Every structure is written in structure tokens, then in C-alpha cells.
Amino acid sequence: TVPRGFIVAGTGTRDPPVVDSERSLVRYDFHAKRMVDAAFCAWDQFSESAAIVAGTRVRVLFPPGYGAAAARHLEVVVQGLRHYGRLYGEYSYPELTVVVPPRAALGAHAMEYPSMFVTSGEWLVVDGLDAAGQEAVTAHELAHQWFQAVIASNEVEFPMLDEGLAQWAAADLLRTLRGERRSAFDLGPLEL
């Protein structure tokens, strides 16, 4: 239950909100099966972009001024759901929420939960550069939707089945999306 005007995200599938007009509150209920973890976030400053990919509703929640970064995250998620789906099986959940944290909440970045993850990245997006690692973090956290969430691996006991496979899958996705060798150094000499 949150004050009216807050954007809410959580693991699982969200029911329609229940509004308490008398107290200016809104209640959100989430339902999920076969999940190894749960989380939620709420903030009254989030903006949202969305897409549908192979029957999965994708939401990207982002702070004011981060629209270009959010579009980049959404592109990686859309392409990543297709790529990972071909390689590892279709995505298991009907919804996926990606949260781009505001500067004051950067301690929450790079965390994965079934059907929701927190990515990373500043507002500045320079076309052709991935200097902040935005795409890499998004690809990695998306890979956790398979390598941790679906196979339910124990990260502490078997880190290779969680972080190792997610990192390998993210590198494979980015190589597929951006080419074998893509970095700031590939732009050539800078004219001063």
C-alpha cells in the first residue's frame, strides 16, 4: 500500500490496483509461483516505458531525465529476451520489470529477482559507447532470469551456475548485438 501517485514494481504478476480514495492510498497485490526470491520498489518520480516481447510485458522504470538511458535498456532487454529465449528456452514469467535507480539509490543497482531486476547507468548516453557499462549490467541481470531464477541455483554454494553463467550469457548477447570488438577505442583517433 502506497500513497497515490507512486509507481510500484514487484516480483510476480500485478493485480489491478485497489484505490482507497478516502485515505489517498493505493494497494498493489502481486502473485507468483515457483520463485526463489521476492522484491518490490515504489517511488513517485519514476517514468515508465514498456514493450511486449513474445507475450511478456516489459516495463522499464526510470528517474526523470533518464529517458535516453531507459530506451537503451529497453532495447537490450527486448533483444535479450529473444536471444536468450532461443538459446535457453522461453522466458518463464508473463511480466518483467527493469528498474533504473536514481542517483540516491545506486546502492540497489545490479540486483536480480525473478521477473524484476535493478540495472545501472547514468542519464548520459553517448551513441556508440557503452562507457558506463549500462548495456553490460542490463544483459547480465537479464541473464539471471534464467541462471538463478529458473534453475534456482545457490549462488554461494555454486557461483558458476549463477554469476558465471550469467556473465558468459551477457557477453554472448552483447557480442551478438554490438559485434565482436566494440569499445571506445574502436572509434579511432579523436580530432582536437
Side-chain angles (χ1 to χ4, degrees), residues 51-58 78 81-82 85-86 90-94:
I52 304 286
V53 182
T56 298
R57 181 174 184 263
V58 178
V78 166
L81 284 171
R82 292 178 182 139
R86 281 191 304 273
E90 292 301 313
Y91 183 67
S92 297
Y93 309 110

Side-chain angles (χ1 to χ4, degrees), residues 1-10 14-30 40-46 59 61:
T1 301
V2 296
R4 188 179 290 185
F6 274 62
I7 303 291
V8 175
R14 185 176 69 179
D15 288 345
V18 177
V19 178
D20 180 346
S21 298
E22 188 175 301
R23 297 186 314 166
S24 290
L25 298 173
V26 181
R27 187 182 85 219
Y28 294 90
D29 293 315
F30 292 84
F40 81 97
C41 71
W43 191 36
D44 62 348
Q45 300 298 307
F46 276 130
R59 301 169 64 203
L61 306 182

Side-chain angles (χ1 to χ4, degrees), residues 136-160:
V137 173
T138 298
H140 177 90
E141 299 308 327
L142 178 62
H144 276 300
Q145 298 299 306
W146 283 265
F147 300 111
Q148 186 263 350
V150 171
I151 65 171
S153 59
N154 181 324
E155 179 179 7
V156 175
E157 258 187 84
F158 306 106
M160 181 58 194

Side-chain angles (χ1 to χ4, degrees), residues 5-145:
F6 274 62
I7 303 291
V8 175
T11 52
T13 303
R14 185 176 69 179
D15 288 345
V18 177
V19 178
D20 180 346
S21 298
E22 188 175 301
R23 297 186 314 166
S24 290
L25 298 173
V26 181
R27 187 182 85 219
Y28 294 90
D29 293 315
F30 292 84
H31 301 277
K33 294 180 181 178
R34 300 184 333 252
M35 289 195 174
V36 297
D37 206 351
F40 81 97
C41 71
W43 191 36
D44 62 348
Q45 300 298 307
F46 276 130
S47 294
E48 180 176 341
S49 60
I52 304 286
V53 182
T56 298
R57 181 174 184 263
V58 178
R59 301 169 64 203
V60 177
L61 306 182
F62 57 95
Y66 283 55
R72 197 167 182 170
H73 291 297
L74 184 59
E75 175 196 356
V76 172
V77 170
V78 166
Q79 296 301 320
L81 284 171
R82 292 178 182 139
H83 181 76
Y84 294 155
R86 281 191 304 273
L87 294 175
Y88 313 123
E90 292 301 313
Y91 183 67
S92 297
Y93 309 110
E95 296 180 14
L96 173 63
T97 303
V98 179
V99 179
V100 182
R103 285 186 181 188
L106 286 179
H109 84 281
M111 284 302 301
E112 71 278 353
Y113 308 94
S115 77
M116 181 177 114
F117 66 85
V118 183
T119 189
S120 184
E122 296 295 329
W123 61 271
L124 178 63
V125 174
V126 178
D127 195 34
L129 290 180
D130 186 25
Q134 295 173 0
E135 293 180 351
V137 173
T138 298
H140 177 90
E141 299 308 327
L142 178 62
H144 276 300
Q145 298 299 306

